[in-house]
Amino acid sequence: VICLERGIYHLSSNVRVLSLGKESGASRIKYLARFYRYIWRERKNYDAVFVHMNPIYVVLGGVLWRIWKKKISLWYTHKSVDLKLRIAEKLADVIFTASKESFRLKSKKVKILGHGIDVERFTPKTVKEGKGDRLHTITVGRISPIKDYETLVLAVEALVKKNIPIHVSIIGDAPSADQKAYVSYIHSLIKEKNLESLFSFCGTVPNKDLPQVLQAADVFVNMSHTGSLDKALLEAMATGLPVITCNEALISALGEYGKTLGFPKKDYHILADKIVFAWKNLEIGERLRSIVVKKHNITNLIVGILDYLK
């Protein structure tokens, strides 16, 4: 595994992690030098290359990998199409993505495999419970402007005016300076609306602990404008939660429930109505889980990737 920055990891003994050096403050020139050193030094130790979400690595190594007859694959799930992606598409043998909306460049090399959700870990509550006295809503993901948290704040305000008892848990962090500024803005908006007691900013939750956190909620909401299939929503579906979203890629993933659970971007009135609808129809969550088990199971994904690489 070649990574830009090496952190704490727990992998099998047959996996080696080679860092380009960001954690030690290496320069971009050193990144580049290490990248070429690694792919040359290890060339007899690998048969195929799987690049995750970074087309630039295909651009940098693609010609050499083709000369060495290494099978080149790229996993990409984002609506953005730039020059790097266009070049990577030409060099790659196969491109894996989660949905048709997740890769916006026309190519015969694209293979749609769904996402990889561990449906053995992300499971519904063991004990079935009905609708409680308070609507516990949850959202998971990076806190940034493209995730449109202000629409959620306005939806909560609308529900308070209708005397709907609601509490929102926001799971996620804001690592960059502009994202931290956005979090401050959302806090000020919540304060302006006198809704402080109804929101909990929980920070980052390790993925291993996320199933239990999701199980404690009633409804999952996603206001994202990224246009790509978000794993957080699929994990919520696997946990048996009804999910509400405005993201076209996610609406498509909801199948027959797309119209029922989707809402127009920034329309907080409809978002508020959909949240209440989902709360009153929690059984929808069971049907959504079956979609994930069938189309986004981690086991099926890995088998699919290996079949194409072979």
Side-chain angles (χ1 to χ4, degrees):
V1 177
I2 296 178
C3 61
L4 179 61
E5 180 177 8
R6 177 167 46 202
I8 298 172
Y9 62 90
H10 304 281
L11 297 171
S12 303
S13 59
N14 64 326
V15 180
R16 284 187 296 131
V17 179
L18 308 174
S19 174
L20 299 186
K22 184 176 180 179
E23 72 277 4
S24 60
S27 66
R28 294 196 175 204
I29 293 176
K30 286 186 177 179
Y31 293 167
L32 198 61
R34 287 175 179 172
F35 175 79
Y36 283 114
R37 184 167 75 246
Y38 291 152
I39 68 171
W40 168 260
R41 188 185 71 193
E42 303 294 332
R43 68 192 184 283
K44 294 183 180 179
N45 295 328
Y46 62 93
D47 305 302
V49 179
F50 179 84
V51 176
H52 184 263
M53 288 301 294
N54 283 288
I56 186 62
Y57 293 128
V58 181
V59 175
L60 293 174
V63 173
L64 287 173
W65 289 326
R66 280 192 167 276
I67 292 172
W68 299 335
K69 299 187 183 323
K70 309 296 184 183
K71 195 73 169 283
I72 306 169
S73 62
L74 169 66
W75 173 273
Y76 192 83
T77 57
H78 200 281
K79 68 178 181 179
S80 175
V81 175
D82 59 12
L83 181 60
K84 292 192 296 291
L85 185 64
R86 293 181 186 277
I87 296 173
E89 187 274 335
K90 300 300 181 186
L91 292 169
D93 294 294
V94 61
I95 297 165
F96 301 118
T97 192
S99 69
K100 64 179 182 180
E101 296 86 0
S102 298
F103 191 84
R104 305 295 178 92
L105 185 62
K106 286 187 178 181
S107 174
K108 294 181 179 180
K109 298 177 180 179
V110 174
K111 305 297 180 185
I112 299 173
L113 297 180
H115 259 307
I117 306 302
D118 188 344
V119 297
E120 300 300 321
R121 286 201 310 114
F122 287 90
T123 58
K125 296 175 184 177
T126 304
V127 179
K128 299 276 186 183
E129 296 179 9
K131 181 170 70 69
D133 295 331
R134 186 175 68 164
L135 197 176
H136 183 188
T137 302
I138 191 169
T139 185
V140 178
R142 187 180 70 257
I143 305 175
S144 65
I146 201 169
K147 299 303 180 76
D148 191 19
Y149 281 86
E150 50 264 62
T151 295
L152 177 58
V153 174
L154 296 176
V156 170
E157 181 186 35
L159 290 173
V160 169
K161 290 179 179 178
K162 294 180 181 180
N163 296 315
I164 301 295
I166 184 172
H167 187 84
V168 178
S169 294
I170 296 176
I171 310 295
D173 62 355
S176 68
D178 61 325
Q179 290 166 0
K180 286 181 170 60
Y182 179 70
V183 172
S184 296
Y185 162 67
I186 294 300
H187 276 289
S188 65
L189 181 61
I190 291 171
K191 185 175 182 179
E192 175 189 326
K193 303 292 184 181
N194 295 315
L195 302 173
E196 294 102 315
S197 63
L198 304 183
F199 282 86
S200 295
F201 286 81
C202 306
T204 302
V205 172
N207 189 264
K208 66 182 179 63
D209 299 327
L210 194 54
Q212 184 177 356
V213 173
L214 290 170
Q215 288 170 357
D218 298 310
V219 178
F220 184 95
V221 293
N222 176 282
M223 300 73 56
S224 175
H225 297 182
T226 61
S228 59
L229 189 54
D230 192 333
K231 281 186 69 177
L233 180 133
L234 296 173
E235 289 169 344
M237 290 169 61
T239 312
L241 291 182
V243 296
I244 312 296
T245 184
C246 65
N247 189 326
E248 61 269 23
L250 303 181
I251 290 174
S252 176
L254 296 175
E256 64 181 289
Y257 300 101
K259 291 185 179 179
T260 305
L261 300 174
F263 71 97
K265 289 182 176 70
K266 292 190 172 296
D267 194 327
Y268 65 89
H269 289 294
I270 295 183
L271 172 57
D273 291 341
K274 298 280 184 173
I275 290 173
V276 174
F277 171 82
W279 188 37
K280 293 180 178 179
N281 295 273
L282 297 178
E283 68 279 0
I284 290 177
E286 298 178 10
R287 300 165 199 165
L288 296 183
R289 172 174 165 78
S290 66
I291 294 175
V292 179
V293 172
K294 181 179 179 181
K295 297 184 177 181
H296 302 282
N297 192 323
I298 183 69
T299 303
N300 297 339
L301 173 67
I302 300 305
V303 170
I305 289 173
L306 290 177
D307 283 346
Y308 281 115
L309 291 181
K310 289 176 182 177

